[in-house]
Amino acid sequence: QVQFVESGGGLAQPGGSLRLSCAASGSVFSIYIMGWYRQAPGKQRELVARISSGGGITTYADSVKGRFTISRDNTKQSVFLQMNNLKPEDTAVYYCNRMSATTALPIGVWGQGTKVTVSS
């Protein structure tokens, strides 16, 4: 069973940037559609961005479009989320997971996530 380890979170000021990383292990990463999700306090987990297995197709939630960029390096079994122009509403725990090609739902085991706090 593939496992995911997220890192790169922390405290950022509004307008600042962070780059999140997700390292996968235990299976064939390069065939997975991958997604970044986030869960803010008191809210449900939501999909932020996703990327196709080869990296050529990316989609974003409207709330982060134009500010966040998802990318991947299959040789390193990793997926990244570059977050620019951060806003306080981006505060959340961020997770990565593999997605079903048919349902687009997350189907892997959740990692511990990495916490992002945007505050002045």
Side-chain angles (χ1 to χ4, degrees), residues 36-109:
W36 276 101
Y37 300 78
R38 68 185 181 187
Q39 187 167 18
K43 295 187 177 180
Q44 288 189 332
R45 194 172 295 176
E46 63 173 346
L47 176 64
V48 172
R50 65 181 176 184
I51 187 167
S52 60
S53 57
I57 300 173
T58 57
T59 58
Y60 300 90
D62 287 343
S63 58
V64 306
K65 201 171 293 183
R67 301 188 297 120
F68 290 10
T69 302
I70 188 171
S71 62
R72 67 190 295 163
D73 184 341
N74 285 342
T75 65
K76 297 181 179 178
Q77 296 199 125
S78 295
V79 62
F80 309 98
L81 188 68
Q82 177 66 44
M83 306 187 298
N84 297 329
N85 191 20
L86 284 162
K87 302 178 180 181
E89 51 263 42
D90 295 319
T91 295
V93 180
Y94 285 71
Y95 305 84
C96 65
N97 207 334
R98 60 177 292 206
M99 301 177 69
S100 166
T102 52
T103 67
L105 294 174
I107 56 174
V109 177

Side-chain angles (χ1 to χ4, degrees), residues 1-3 24-32 77 98:
Q1 180 75 296
V2 65
Q3 295 181 329
S25 62
S27 191
V28 184
F29 175 79
S30 63
I31 66 173
Y32 297 156
Q77 296 199 125
R98 60 177 292 206

